Amino acid sequence: MTEMQRRTVLKVALGGAGLAALPALTATAGATAAATPPKPGPEFVGVGDQSITLEFDDRLRSRVAVQGTTVTRFDASEALLLGDSAVEDFTYRGHRTRPIRHSRHGEGVQVTIQGDSTSGVRKTVELTSYERLTGMTVMQVTYANLSHRSLAVTGWRNGAHELLQKPGGFYTFSGSTHEDRRDWVQPVTDDFVQQNSLGMDSSDYGGGTPLASVWRRGAGISVGHVEPRARILRMPVRKTSNGASIAIEGDTPRTLKPGERLTTDTTFLTAHPRDHFVPLQRYRDYMSDIGLRAPRVPDSAYEPIWCAWGYERNFTLEQVIGTLPKVREVGLKWAGLDDGWQTNEGDWDLNPQKFPRGEADMRAFTRQIKDAELRPRLWWAPLAADPDSNLFRDHPDMLLLDAEGNKQEVTWWDAYTLCPAYQPTVDYFVAQARKFIGSWGYEGLKIDGQHLNAVAPCHNPAHRHARPEESTEGLAKFWMAIHQAAHQANRDAVVELCPCGTAFAFHNLPAVDQYPASDPTSSYQVRHKGKTMKALMGPGSSYAGDHVELSDGRNDFASSYGVGAVLSTKFTYPSDPPGTRPGRGNVLTPENEVLWKKWVALYQQNMLPTGEYRGELYDIGFDKPETHVVAKGDTLHYAFYADQFDGTVELRGLGRGRYRLTEPFTGTSLGSVDAEHNTVELSFAKFQLIVARRT
């Protein structure tokens, strides 16, 4: 036995025959799993580690402790839903604790607890805590109908807790998609209610990362699921009179007959002292163990980007080609051709007004980009077909249909969604990706559209789905087929996925080389999306800040730079195209040209995307000013953000020895610090960068 197993068995031996006589017992994974002495108050059994303890009482209600401090009451945390009612009160009937060793997750402890309701439902809660996944408790719940009558089940609820209130309020993160493109991280107002559905918010908005968080100063709770395929669940967060509540819920309408069982999806609960970054890391680690992880990207995925979208759909090739020398002069490396090269979404034939000789003209165009010492990237929006396209007319079998036979509209292009789990659809778009990379000479794809994040269940009878949800679950496989086709044509190709303002669907991640901020509405979105994606993608990932013209003031490269994002712009040169509306211009003015060159040079000097983003050090909700840190070797790059700040900041994350502080643009000395004396007086507007280099 390992030391951890000996300790666990010892504590189980202390237990006794039943909960009524059971001393306070916590089966704890990890090096801190010392025997816990009995505690006064409700007697309980639970599982946890040094970060989280989840304790159950004799009614199978549970409470959460964060680093030894209780942060919830005993809540009815798991329930079987029966329409407007719920089976949520169970009498404890026994538990079993055993050490485990998972082939992928490693050593851990598993506690199985059972209880019976007065209505004849038996609940079995299986809780698992792994040594390497600190703060995370994985949960699966089974309900058995031991009564003599059928139950009209509508769904289930796991991890339902109310984080108790303390002064300062709450913040919340949601990985779900919202059509209004709201912030992913936001304060919890007095009337806050957000369902956080992983289903379709509309016909073309949906999906996301299956994790939601709520936190106050010093304590937070996150819930989610760890199923290997995308699932349509909810993670509701709401403000309550005593704090803020969170849960994960699934709709499972069925008749549970006597003797039958229902088992929930595998969910998890994580406790943490700061924001959503560490819970997302734990989720990433778990999913990486089962093979779902961001791919290793080519070096070109870190190179700064120029996109021709500043000229919009009515661009001319002369405008794009004429801008390339300035793109190279500014220091950018990618040149992207955006929407407008095609006749329609679906056929993806070349616009004859722009490419009169067809593919020969397109190949000549990519050669001109390469001759300018730039990399060509092509905009594309697969899985959509316009009503006037040949694809729509000739292949209605590809359409994704709902239960009533209705098509699913892609609102931005007035097109319709195609089913990603229908093999002819997959084959059609794989062939296009091969042509774009292998024949036309593009080195990257910018894949764009809010409909690409998730799709609704498909009821098209031509597809013969075993379950309608195969379309939802099959989208990730579709992206993997596209990614493989692009990389087979060019092993260093960069596949970028931009699902237009939505929260990125994690299950698509293994097939994507670069995620952008995806149409951010503010610099704050660039930064908090960056923090989120760095947690999900891990070190060495490629997150792009999207066009700087979408940031505050249309020039805030500081927000992309400070979170370690790839820089991107859509400037026009030497002027905006005719008919540009006031306030929509993207022309590279002489003043902006000086600024752009300055940022690109600093970016190329330090290449922060290749460093380690240290998101665990600061709380994006409660630490002021907002702070982000990227570590590269012995050097830490700090970025502070506020409309106006005058005061003291703490430089967290310093190691041993002294650090020399400089302002990176000018090299101005800001003194020196060490881990014990790590504060600096700052006065700035908008942002302040500090480089801390070990001496």
Side-chain angles (χ1 to χ4, degrees), residues 262-581:
L262 181 152
T263 299
T264 71
D265 288 318
T266 305
T267 65
F268 65 88
L269 185 144
T270 306
H272 40 97
R274 290 196 176 111
D275 62 27
H276 64 302
F277 182 80
V278 171
L280 285 172
Q281 283 186 314
R282 293 294 172 270
Y283 170 70
R284 181 196 79 210
D285 291 342
Y286 186 103
M287 301 304 282
S288 179
D289 285 347
I290 63 174
L292 296 179
R293 63 178 67 90
R296 185 173 181 178
V297 301
D299 290 343
S300 59
Y302 307 123
E303 294 179 340
I305 303 162
W306 175 77
C307 177
W309 183 237
Y311 294 111
E312 299 195 350
R313 287 193 181 95
N314 294 323
F315 71 85
T316 66
L317 290 185
E318 291 74 20
Q319 287 171 331
V320 176
I321 294 168
T323 310
L324 298 181
K326 185 59 65 175
V327 171
R328 185 179 64 248
E329 184 182 339
V330 169
L332 306 169
K333 301 298 183 181
W334 282 98
L337 185 65
D338 214 279
D339 188 3
W341 59 267
Q342 75 284 3
T343 56
N344 60 64
E345 289 74 40
D347 298 337
W348 298 102
D349 292 332
L350 291 169
N351 185 331
Q353 294 179 340
K354 299 175 181 179
F355 301 93
R357 296 188 305 133
E359 294 191 5
D361 278 347
M362 179 60 88
R363 285 190 284 269
F365 173 71
T366 58
R367 281 197 299 272
Q368 286 181 285
I369 295 177
K370 294 177 183 179
D371 288 344
E373 301 178 357
L374 299 168
R375 298 180 184 275
R377 186 180 302 199
L378 184 67
W379 177 91
W380 185 35
L383 284 184
D386 291 346
D388 60 350
S389 66
N390 294 327
L391 183 67
F392 181 84
R393 184 186 68 245
D394 298 340
H395 293 282
D397 56 303
M398 291 187 184
L399 288 168
L400 188 149
L401 304 177
D402 67 14
E404 286 72 43
N406 298 315
K407 299 181 287 292
Q408 301 295 292
E409 186 179 6
V410 182
T411 54
W412 184 256
W413 293 291
D414 191 25
Y416 296 104
T417 301
L418 307 177
C419 179
Y422 182 50
Q423 194 59 44
T425 305
V426 179
D427 295 342
Y428 179 82
F429 289 108
V430 162
Q432 289 186 338
R434 287 176 177 152
K435 179 173 64 174
F436 299 155
I437 302 294
S439 176
W440 291 2
Y442 282 94
E443 298 181 20
L445 297 174
K446 177 186 177 181
I447 303 177
D448 194 33
Q450 70 273 6
H451 67 295
L452 301 176
N453 207 49
V455 298
C458 180
H459 296 263
N460 191 327
H463 302 173
R464 299 185 179 181
H465 295 311
R467 297 176 296 110
E469 293 79 13
E470 284 185 347
S471 58
T472 304
E473 299 167 0
L475 182 59
K477 293 181 179 180
F478 174 86
W479 290 125
M480 185 58 70
I482 297 296
H483 189 266
Q484 289 174 347
H487 283 264
Q488 286 168 359
N490 181 342
R491 66 179 183 179
D492 292 326
V494 172
V495 177
E496 173 191 7
L497 182 59
C498 178
C500 297
T502 63
F504 298 103
F506 178 85
H507 291 79
N508 300 337
L509 184 67
V512 180
D513 299 307
Q514 185 177 74
Y515 273 118
S518 188
D519 298 330
T521 61
S522 67
S523 292
Y524 175 62
Q525 285 204 350
V526 173
R527 298 191 301 267
H528 78 248
K529 288 182 178 183
K531 180 165 195 170
T532 301
M533 295 311 299
K534 292 288 184 176
L536 289 173
M537 300 168 78
S541 59
S542 179
Y543 164 76
D546 212 326
H547 308 142
V548 72
E549 292 82 3
L550 297 174
S551 66
D552 296 351
R554 304 175 63 81
N555 64 358
D556 183 17
F557 272 126
S559 284
S560 289
Y561 178 87
V563 298
V566 177
L567 303 190
S568 171
T569 173
K570 58 177 180 178
F571 71 75
T572 61
Y573 186 83
S575 63
D576 286 313
T580 300
R581 286 179 287 171

Side-chain angles (χ1 to χ4, degrees), residues 81-136:
L81 307 181
L82 309 175
D84 294 333
S85 64
V87 183
E88 59 185 17
D89 204 3
F90 299 84
T91 301
Y92 169 86
R93 67 182 304 271
H95 79 279
R96 179 169 64 96
T97 303
R98 66 187 183 99
I100 61 169
R101 181 172 179 79
H102 193 278
S103 60
R104 296 173 178 175
H105 305 308
E107 289 190 340
V109 172
Q110 189 172 87
V111 177
T112 304
I113 311 170
Q114 280 193 339
D116 293 340
S117 74
T118 56
S119 58
V121 176
R122 174 165 295 170
K123 179 169 79 170
T124 303
V125 184
E126 185 180 271
L127 304 159
T128 308
S129 178
Y130 295 103
E131 184 174 1
R132 66 177 294 270
L133 300 172
T134 306
M136 184 180 196

Side-chain angles (χ1 to χ4, degrees), residues 20-302:
L22 185 71
L25 176 67
T26 304
T28 305
T32 61
T36 304
K39 300 179 182 177
E43 295 183 342
F44 58 85
V45 60
V47 64
D49 58 26
Q50 62 266 38
S51 295
I52 179 176
T53 306
L54 186 62
E55 306 163 341
F56 285 75
D57 67 7
D58 57 1
R59 294 168 58 190
L60 265 63
R61 302 172 304 172
S62 67
R63 69 180 178 187
V64 180
V66 178
Q67 295 181 343
T69 300
T70 299
V71 298
T72 75
R73 298 187 179 93
F74 279 100
D75 300 314
S77 47
E78 292 75 44
L80 186 66
L81 307 181
L82 309 175
D84 294 333
S85 64
V87 183
E88 59 185 17
D89 204 3
F90 299 84
T91 301
Y92 169 86
R93 67 182 304 271
H95 79 279
R96 179 169 64 96
T97 303
R98 66 187 183 99
I100 61 169
R101 181 172 179 79
H102 193 278
S103 60
R104 296 173 178 175
H105 305 308
E107 289 190 340
V109 172
Q110 189 172 87
V111 177
T112 304
I113 311 170
Q114 280 193 339
D116 293 340
S117 74
T118 56
S119 58
V121 176
R122 174 165 295 170
K123 179 169 79 170
T124 303
V125 184
E126 185 180 271
L127 304 159
T128 308
S129 178
Y130 295 103
E131 184 174 1
R132 66 177 294 270
L133 300 172
T134 306
M136 184 180 196
T137 298
V138 180
M139 175 185 302
Q140 193 169 58
V141 184
T142 298
Y143 297 94
N145 184 2
L146 304 185
S147 72
H148 299 291
R149 61 185 181 88
S150 296
L151 299 174
V153 175
T154 56
W156 50 268
R157 178 188 303 127
N158 284 356
H161 288 282
E162 181 183 49
L163 183 61
L164 297 177
Q165 193 158 278
K166 282 196 171 181
F170 297 88
Y171 273 82
T172 185
F173 160 81
S174 171
S176 61
T177 288
H178 300 275
E179 192 173 4
D180 61 10
R181 304 187 181 189
R182 68 192 63 174
D183 292 340
W184 300 357
V185 177
Q186 53 189 315
V188 177
T189 57
D190 288 343
D191 58 350
F192 188 90
V193 178
Q194 194 163 283
Q195 289 301 311
N196 298 328
S197 171
L198 294 169
M200 300 303 291
D201 193 43
S202 70
S203 63
D204 52 353
Y205 281 83
T209 292
L211 183 144
S213 301
V214 64
W215 70 95
R216 68 187 196 207
R217 289 186 183 276
I221 296 174
S222 298
V223 299
H225 80 74
V226 287
E227 293 292 333
R229 297 179 180 177
R231 304 286 293 138
I232 302 175
L233 305 177
R234 291 182 305 278
M235 305 168 292
V237 172
R238 70 177 62 236
K239 182 69 177 70
T240 64
S241 58
N242 296 315
S245 67
I246 193 169
I248 183 165
E249 301 174 346
D251 294 327
T252 313
R254 59 172 287 188
T255 299
L256 195 64
K257 297 179 181 179
E260 290 186 336
R261 298 170 178 262
L262 181 152
T263 299
T264 71
D265 288 318
T266 305
T267 65
F268 65 88
L269 185 144
T270 306
H272 40 97
R274 290 196 176 111
D275 62 27
H276 64 302
F277 182 80
V278 171
L280 285 172
Q281 283 186 314
R282 293 294 172 270
Y283 170 70
R284 181 196 79 210
D285 291 342
Y286 186 103
M287 301 304 282
S288 179
D289 285 347
I290 63 174
L292 296 179
R293 63 178 67 90
R296 185 173 181 178
V297 301
D299 290 343
S300 59
Y302 307 123

